[in-house]
Amino acid sequence: MKLDHVGVAVRALSEVADFYRERLGLEEVHREEVPGQGVRVVFLGNPKDPEGCQVELLEPLSRDCAVSKFLSERGPGLHHLAFRAGAVEAAMKRLYSAGLPALEAAPRPGARGHQVCFLHPKRCHGVLVELVGSSAV
């Protein structure tokens, strides 16, 4: 699988996005709210490599979402690694049969119109892993 993006939990997009744009030269390629995950996201990437790995900044929309809980327990920083999985359901079945079940029973809608699922950090050596479908919903 190819690395799709690195998720970074932030308290406020407005405080962090400029750092990635101005200091690291990344450009905003996508912005949206993902109500099912309770977050507002901004994807930043290298304008010369549109298919390359991006940085996803995640800002909680409420105090009861998973990212808000993450921020209160750990503070801002690396939240997850996301890999392009092709057909997410097939990847979930393959991982389940190998003893690595996803947190969800089925893929769910994620950012950019993709189906996604997450693998628990306890089973992934301390890292929350996201599988991103290759085709839009």
Side-chain angles (χ1 to χ4, degrees):
M1 286 190 239
K2 183 176 180 182
L3 189 62
D4 182 77
H5 66 270
V6 175
V8 178
V10 301
R11 289 192 171 87
L13 292 173
S14 60
E15 296 173 4
V16 181
D18 285 344
F19 167 78
Y20 287 91
R21 283 192 289 259
E22 295 170 10
R23 302 290 190 267
L24 301 179
L26 300 179
E27 289 184 5
E28 184 174 317
V29 295
H30 185 77
R31 177 184 292 257
E32 75 175 287
E33 287 188 7
V34 185
Q37 295 178 14
V39 294
R40 180 176 296 115
V41 300
V42 169
F43 284 85
L44 300 129
N46 180 338
K48 296 179 181 177
D49 186 11
E51 295 299 315
C53 184
Q54 298 177 349
V55 174
E56 177 191 29
L57 303 178
L58 303 114
E59 173 188 73
L61 293 172
S62 69
R63 292 183 183 199
D64 61 347
C65 74
V67 172
S68 185
K69 181 180 177 186
F70 177 93
L71 286 166
S72 67
E73 292 176 359
R74 299 181 188 184
L78 178 65
H79 183 262
H80 67 273
L81 296 177
F83 295 90
R84 294 178 190 154
V88 175
E89 286 187 9
M92 289 173 71
K93 288 178 184 174
R94 181 177 52 78
L95 292 168
Y96 182 83
S97 66
L100 186 61
L103 289 173
E104 304 95 357
R108 62 180 164 153
R112 303 177 294 178
H114 293 281
Q115 292 284 80
V116 301
C117 77
F118 289 88
L119 305 176
H120 200 288
K122 287 183 181 174
R123 297 206 165 219
C124 298
H125 306 280
V127 177
L128 178 64
V129 172
E130 177 183 10
L131 303 179
V132 179
S134 60
S135 58
V137 177

